[in-house]
């Protein structure tokens, strides 16, 4: 996990330390992820999350996010919902327990509140 950036830092340009995803989450490619927690002082966590191109499955937490850069398709496995194309400016809410598959075509960076 990347250290908390200093106040006044532009988080869009924040350099993140990537790690490979666990093998059981990877569907295709060799995606890596990185995270920088910006604030976790209350009941919610606010941070930056990034994933490189590839496909991976996930079980979600309650989260609201805004895509800062990149592109991906989110497939909702459970519950079955329409696929969602996301890119810069997309605002999405996920619910705890949703099972999703993310196909990232351009490194995706989002700011999240969870």
């Amino acid at each position: 996990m990347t250290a908390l950036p200093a106040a006044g830092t532009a988080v869009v340009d924040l350099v993140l330390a990537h790690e490979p995803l666990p093998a059981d989450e990877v569907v295709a490619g060799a995606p890596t992820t990185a995270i920088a927690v910006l604030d976790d002082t209350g009941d919610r966590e606010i941070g930056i999350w990034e994933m490189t191109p590839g496909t991976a499955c996930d079980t979600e937490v309650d989260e609201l996010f805004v895509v800062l850069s990149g592109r991906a398709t989110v497939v909702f496995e459970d519950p079955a919902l329409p696929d969602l194309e996301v890119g810069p400016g997309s605002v999405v809410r996920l619910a705890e327990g949703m099972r999703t598959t993310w196909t990232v075509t351009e490194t995706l960076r989002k700011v999240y509140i969870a």
Side-chain angles (χ1 to χ4, degrees):
M1 187 179 313
T2 301
L4 182 68
T9 300
V11 296
V12 172
D13 300 323
L14 185 65
V15 176
L16 301 177
H18 278 252
E19 297 183 7
L21 284 167
D24 64 334
E25 294 178 12
V26 176
V27 175
T32 62
T33 60
I35 190 169
V37 176
L38 304 175
D39 183 15
D40 66 355
T41 56
D43 294 339
R44 296 277 186 189
E45 178 179 288
I46 301 169
I48 301 292
W49 178 88
E50 188 171 83
M51 181 175 157
T52 60
T55 303
C57 55
D58 194 17
T59 301
E60 304 297 341
V61 299
D62 278 327
E63 175 183 336
L64 176 71
F65 70 83
V66 179
V67 175
L68 300 174
S69 60
R71 299 212 172 272
T73 301
V74 182
V75 175
F76 295 92
E77 307 293 342
D78 185 22
L81 297 170
D83 296 356
L84 184 62
E85 300 288 330
V86 297
S90 294
V91 179
V92 179
R93 183 180 175 279
L94 300 171
E96 185 168 350
M98 286 180 141
R99 289 190 2 246
T100 57
T101 300
W102 292 68
T103 298
V104 174
T105 54
E106 296 174 24
T107 297
L108 186 80
R109 179 173 283 207
K110 66 182 184 176
V111 61
Y112 67 88
I113 301 171

